[in-house]
Amino acid sequence: MPGSRHSLDALAAAASAASSGTTCLAQAIAANPLDGAGFPGPPADENAIRHARNAEAVPLIAEHLADAASDFDLAATCCAYIASGIAEDVRAHPAHVRTPAHAPATTTSSRPARR
């Protein structure tokens, strides 16, 4: 169909953007400071360490989530363009174009109509 190359390109862009978005989500998870139990050893100021880790991780996590949202928005836009293009192509396809029905020919006669 005409325009199918553009649809395939948009589909590739949507898949790429979605893949990039999932990578950003994985990076956001990886940036989590994992506030779990510490390693055995000399006691440390757990509260200060937790706050330092969180202070460092929160901006990274926010950045990764914002990047993921942007990528998923791009993927959604590509999908909307693809769907719109497919719908237009289907409507324009000759098999779906309806031609107006021809009205029956009217005959005129000089004879009076029968009752």
Side-chain angles (χ1 to χ4, degrees), residues 45-84:
D45 185 4
E46 294 289 328
N47 217 14
I49 293 171
R50 184 177 306 112
H51 285 298
R53 285 181 185 161
N54 285 339
E56 186 178 315
V58 167
L60 285 174
I61 292 171
E63 181 182 349
H64 291 308
L65 291 177
D67 290 344
S70 176
D71 289 339
F72 289 136
D73 186 48
L74 176 60
T77 300
C78 289
C79 289
Y81 284 147
I82 294 165
S84 174

Side-chain angles (χ1 to χ4, degrees), residues 7 15 18 25 33 35 47 52 65 78 83 98 105-106 110:
S7 293
L25 288 178
D35 290 334
N47 217 14
L65 291 177
C78 289
R98 295 182 185 219
T106 56
S110 58

